[in-house]
Amino acid sequence: MSAPLVELRGAGKRFGGIHAVEEVSLELRAGEILALVGHNGAGKSTLVRVLSGALALDAGELRVGGERARLGSPRDARRLGIESVHQALALAENLDAVANLFLGREIASHFGILDEPAMERAARDVIARLNPAFARFRVPVRELSGGERQTIAVARAVLFRARVLILDEPTAALGPAEAGAVRALIRRLAAEGLAILLVSHDLHDVFDLADRIAVMRSGRLVGTRPTREVTHDEVLGMILGAVPADPAPGLPRGDGA
């Protein structure tokens, strides 16, 4: 088995006297979709902010590619190949797909002028990989559908060689057809070798997509299960506290680790 691309060991984050994340150990491997589930307030958002570089750990450690890493900002995370697509997508509504992909990382010519043809070629190449049906490259993103907007947000991460992709509620507020297209996109990215952390309240999405499911409750990781070995009811029981936490919940069951 290959080494994890990302590994948390005993991770902890406090806000005053509140332990938002406590003693969390988690692994994410290339080509894997790991779902992170739990009620609001379970610690998922804090954990995602730690992994994306927005918050620093107070305890434990983070390893990326087997090496200990300290993330002081989202830029540090991106430099290590960790990209995040948040539910709000953070797209500039008045700009088109090409401008959004390169926002803040534009390509300039030797004379300091924006190289629009080069950016459009790169944008078309990466979006064609993700969504061959996408065609509206030069209209403001406010005119695009939810699925098209999600494609742009994911393409922005992939364009800059992400190895790890954090997806926060990627199918929220999408219709059935668009949600299906986004799920196909997620599977395609995993097949290409990206490690994907899927944060979702939608257990149908989770069971449809994830290789493993990690459940958080009250800031702690209460268990991680291979999807094929657990039922919806068992996951709900872990979320609600009806199922006891694993003795070593950061590790997959049956590893012997």
Side-chain angles (χ1 to χ4, degrees):
M1 184 180 291
S2 61
L5 281 182
V6 171
E7 183 179 8
L8 285 168
R9 298 181 178 179
K13 181 64 187 179
R14 298 185 305 276
F15 297 103
I18 298 173
H19 290 266
V21 170
E22 188 173 7
E23 288 291 325
V24 170
S25 297
L26 196 67
E27 297 178 351
L28 186 58
R29 299 176 184 275
E32 176 184 40
I33 302 173
L34 173 65
L36 184 64
V37 302
H39 277 318
N40 290 336
K44 305 186 307 297
S45 295
T46 300
L47 191 67
V48 164
R49 293 176 71 190
V50 165
L51 290 171
S52 64
L55 291 174
L57 284 173
D58 294 323
E61 68 178 29
L62 169 68
R63 290 181 174 268
V64 179
E67 300 292 329
R68 188 166 184 172
R70 293 186 181 275
L71 304 181
S73 70
R75 181 173 294 181
D76 290 340
R78 289 194 294 268
R79 178 175 49 81
L80 292 172
I82 302 172
E83 292 273 359
S84 302
V85 178
H86 299 287
Q87 188 173 355
L89 300 183
L91 298 175
E93 298 286 327
N94 60 315
L95 300 179
D96 62 25
V98 176
N100 267 282
L101 257 64
F102 285 93
L103 192 62
R105 295 186 271 193
E106 292 83 358
I107 299 174
S109 70
H110 294 300
F111 304 103
I113 300 170
L114 290 183
D115 193 338
E116 293 281 357
M119 289 191 290
E120 181 163 346
R121 284 194 300 272
R124 287 181 177 275
D125 286 347
V126 70
I127 290 178
R129 263 176 58 205
L130 303 180
N131 181 358
F134 189 97
R136 299 202 289 171
F137 288 88
R138 286 302 190 180
V139 299
V141 298
R142 62 172 171 262
E143 299 179 18
L144 301 181
S145 69
E148 289 171 326
R149 292 159 61 89
Q150 189 70 253
T151 294
I152 294 169
V154 172
R156 183 168 56 190
V158 173
L159 178 63
F160 293 98
R161 296 182 175 84
R163 296 189 299 160
V164 178
L165 188 59
I166 302 169
L167 296 175
D168 182 15
E169 303 288 354
T171 62
L174 298 181
E178 289 202 313
V182 171
R183 286 192 288 269
L185 168 58
I186 294 169
R187 293 189 192 96
R188 195 175 301 126
L189 292 170
E192 291 184 5
L194 271 73
I196 296 175
L197 181 63
L198 172 68
V199 184
S200 180
H201 286 94
D202 188 333
L203 287 186
H204 294 289
D205 268 3
V206 165
F207 274 84
D208 187 39
L209 289 169
D211 299 296
R212 289 188 296 135
I213 303 171
V215 181
M216 290 192 72
R217 187 174 69 245
S218 301
R220 289 182 173 270
L221 188 68
V222 296
T224 304
R225 301 284 192 271
T227 306
R228 65 182 181 277
E229 296 178 10
V230 70
T231 67
H232 282 70
D233 286 346
E234 287 170 330
V235 171
L236 282 172
M238 294 167 71
I239 291 171
L240 297 172
V243 176
D246 291 349
L251 298 173
R253 291 195 304 177
D255 275 4

